[in-house]
Amino acid sequence: MNKKSVTDVDVKGKRVLVRCDFNVPMKDGKITDENRIMGALPTIKYLMEHGAKVVLCSHMGKPHNIFDEKVKLNKKEKKAVEALPESEREKATAEYIEKAKKSEPTKLTLKPVADRLNQLLDNKVTFASDVIGPDAEKKVAALKEGECVLLENLRFYAGEEGRDLEFCKKLASYCDIYVNDAFGTAHRSHASTAAIVEYGLVKTAVCGFLIQKELEVMADSLENPVRPFVAVLGGAKVADKLNVISNLLNKCDTLIIGGGMAYTFLKAEGYEIGKSLVDDEKLGYCKDMMQKAKDMGKKLLLPVDTVIAKDFPNPIDAEIEVKTVKVSEIPADMEGLDIGEASRKLFADAIKGAKTVIWNGPMGVFENPTLAKGTIAIAEAMAEAKGATTIIGGGDSAAAVQQLGFADKMTHISTGGGASLELFEGKVLPGIACLNDKD
Ligand code: AMP
């Protein structure tokens, strides 16, 4: 990797702004999964131990910019307001805003993260209840070497996602050095992830250990994979992964496609797929990809059998009656919801013979135990792929691997679903492109 990291700069006595990804799941004010906090610790500890004055920042969830003059409604609320008669819109908007202003300071605050960090870092972490306000200013100014302050949720301000220059200037005034360690938002071009550097407000901009590791494993495996290289894609829609499919076909030896997106490929091959998920607009694209695989001498594996049910489970984890049929035998009134046993074996054999495997997206409706077997089979096969580099590209597949207890058997589980998908697409991530190159 040709980007500078924290070890390439002298941080002693410097104020260092670190963009972290502390967007952790919360329930009733409690953190339910600490992975992202633990992932950020090596960089924070390194900086503190090397005498930096550390200013941490992050977003949490999708707030309404409640610290801003212009509070925004989310898409759903906007739609609901637009559906109302003109005379009622102002009142409904005000109600949504009031509700957000009441709930978000307790629901989407980073204070619980600061408390946890403080426990983990010898009581050296304080919390600022704003970002570009007096509390942050005061606490940043009071920092001593080896101390740390976490600022409040960046997205309480419209300036974060809006890349506002004044917002960036204020953030930049807190630091001599900028560190990006938030891989989960590295594909976003926001104030704290890219604009602060792109506007020339901080000259020294490097990555932290988390981003360094993500890039070393994933970018290097994509560029110089040990072969055979197998890529596994699943999830709901073909449309979400168009560029991923095409780019991975260029790089891998075998592309496995399962999950909801497989049925559009199967339909493009001429199969009747009943009520299964399909994206009719993408049939031509799927045909092109199958032709591309043939032309390039690559294997494109699709399910050969499928687990079907009368309807999609409702609620998603409800008990469900299923049966397994060949993909050529899906009845018109049934829906394919997981890959069948023969497909599990076909896919697992390909994975076990690989030396590099990357995976993104479940093979079926894995939220339901009856429909999770395909997803489990992929995780198991990857865990058993001897001597292979195995990479989980975040999101649902990462959650599945963790729940199933296979996490320590994988080479790398990415902390960013969206960001790793963009890497798989071959895109340059703005949060990484803006960092200083190595000399
Ligand atoms: P994605 O966000 O694109 O990775 O898709 C993940 C979602 O795809 C999960 O919530 C799964 O339940 C869903 N999914 C996987 N397979 C199927 C299928 N055969 N039919 C419908 N949904 C599916």
Side-chain angles (χ1 to χ4, degrees):
M1 203 194 51
N2 72 335
K3 292 292 175 187
K4 281 191 180 163
S5 84
V6 282
T7 54
D8 295 317
V9 287
D10 180 10
V11 299
K12 172 107 176 97
K14 304 266 172 59
R15 293 168 311 150
V16 181
L17 178 74
V18 190
R19 177 49 158 109
C20 299
D21 179 7
F22 290 139
N23 184 25
V24 290
M26 305 272 296
K27 203 171 176 211
D28 304 327
K30 296 228 158 52
I31 300 163
T32 55
D33 180 346
E34 297 193 339
N35 271 313
R36 287 186 166 151
I37 296 179
M38 296 306 169
L41 276 185
T43 300
I44 303 171
K45 275 188 180 161
Y46 174 90
L47 292 170
M48 291 169 80
E49 282 164 9
H50 286 77
K53 301 170 181 175
V54 185
V55 184
L56 304 174
C57 63
S58 172
H59 77 284
M60 159 90 85
K62 293 185 177 151
H64 291 64
N65 312 140
I66 50 166
F67 284 5
D68 224 87
E69 269 168 40
K70 266 196 246 146
V71 176
K72 71 160 191 200
L73 299 188
N74 65 31
K75 267 190 206 156
K76 210 168 131 198
E77 291 163 352
K78 250 191 219 157
K79 235 182 165 181
V81 167
E82 275 159 20
L84 293 170
E86 183 97 44
S87 58
E88 291 170 32
R89 288 184 193 165
E90 199 173 319
K91 186 165 166 258
T93 303
E95 278 170 6
Y96 279 125
I97 292 172
E98 202 189 312
K99 202 172 135 213
K101 279 190 167 174
K102 250 193 196 151
S103 68
E104 288 179 5
T106 45
K107 266 196 185 152
L108 296 178
T109 175
L110 284 166
K111 173 85 170 51
V113 176
D115 292 343
R116 184 68 184 122
L117 284 170
N118 198 35
Q119 287 173 349
L120 293 163
L121 297 165
D122 300 330
N123 291 319
K124 286 183 181 151
V125 184
T126 50
F127 176 67
S129 58
D130 52 33
V131 176
I132 52 168
D135 199 36
E137 258 170 47
K138 193 174 81 195
K139 287 182 174 147
V140 172
L143 277 179
K144 296 198 183 76
E145 289 184 13
E147 287 182 351
C148 180
V149 57
L150 171 61
L151 310 181
E152 183 52 290
N153 192 341
L154 290 159
R155 291 192 192 163
F156 280 169
Y157 300 81
E160 166 62 358
E161 288 179 85
R163 296 166 53 89
D164 178 63
L165 179 61
E166 293 310 312
F167 186 78
C168 289
K169 277 185 183 165
K170 192 78 203 180
L171 277 181
S173 75
Y174 296 152
C175 71
D176 310 300
I177 296 173
Y178 167 84
V179 176
N180 193 357
D181 211 20
F183 184 73
T185 47
H187 60 312
R188 305 269 180 233
S189 185
H190 295 162
S192 70
T193 62
I196 181 175
V197 187
E198 288 169 359
Y199 292 158
L201 300 169
V202 200
K203 296 281 180 255
T204 308
V206 301
C207 68
F209 296 124
L210 181 72
I211 283 199
Q212 194 179 24
K213 184 176 174 225
E214 294 269 11
L215 286 185
E216 266 169 16
V217 183
M218 290 205 283
D220 288 358
S221 293
L222 283 171
E223 286 320 309
N224 304 300
V226 184
R227 297 185 183 275
F229 174 17
V230 175
V232 187
L233 286 178
K237 292 191 212 141
V238 178
D240 293 342
K241 296 190 180 147
L242 294 179
N243 296 328
V244 182
I245 297 169
S246 175
N247 189 47
L248 286 180
L249 258 186
N250 295 336
K251 312 245 175 214
C252 71
D253 302 297
T254 301
L255 178 62
I256 294 175
I257 293 187
M261 57 195 273
Y263 300 93
T264 304
F265 277 87
L266 290 168
K267 186 167 178 183
E269 273 214 309
Y271 292 109
E272 297 292 337
I273 56 162
K275 292 196 299 179
S276 308
L277 207 62
V278 68
D279 192 345
D280 280 316
E281 279 176 22
K282 296 290 173 269
L283 289 171
Y285 172 85
C286 292
K287 279 186 193 155
D288 290 347
M289 288 301 112
M290 289 189 282
Q291 189 58 46
K292 176 172 169 169
K294 256 192 208 139
D295 295 344
M296 295 181 78
K298 310 277 172 106
K299 272 194 202 148
L300 196 158
L301 297 182
L302 296 173
V304 290
D305 59 352
T306 173
V307 176
I308 53 172
K310 275 256 175 265
D311 291 299
F312 197 88
N314 184 18
I316 200 154
D317 58 352
E319 255 184 52
I320 185 165
E321 202 178 307
V322 297
K323 67 176 180 178
T324 302
V325 295
K326 287 186 189 155
V327 290
S328 55
E329 293 169 358
I330 305 175
D333 60 344
M334 304 282 272
E335 182 169 358
L337 297 170
D338 193 12
I339 56 172
E341 199 181 341
S343 312
R344 298 203 290 269
K345 181 161 181 344
L346 176 74
F347 293 178
D349 285 346
I351 290 168
K352 284 181 202 163
K355 283 285 169 266
T356 306
V357 190
I358 63 171
W359 175 29
N360 185 292
M363 293 291 103
V365 184
F366 74 106
E367 297 92 336
N368 188 304
T370 309
L371 304 168
K373 290 185 184 136
T375 303
I376 294 173
I378 299 295
E380 265 170 356
M382 284 180 75
E384 286 170 20
K386 289 209 176 59
T389 301
T390 48
I391 297 169
I392 314 291
D396 285 336
S397 347
V401 165
Q402 253 136 8
Q403 269 166 30
L404 296 165
F406 290 120
D408 58 353
K409 299 222 165 63
M410 304 296 167
T411 309
H412 182 67
I413 300 180
S414 176
T415 53
S420 55
L421 263 186
E422 291 203 8
L423 272 188
F424 294 172
E425 277 183 39
K427 278 196 188 156
V428 178
L429 310 183
I432 290 160
C434 69
L435 304 177
N436 300 156
D437 288 327
K438 278 194 174 150
D439 298 329

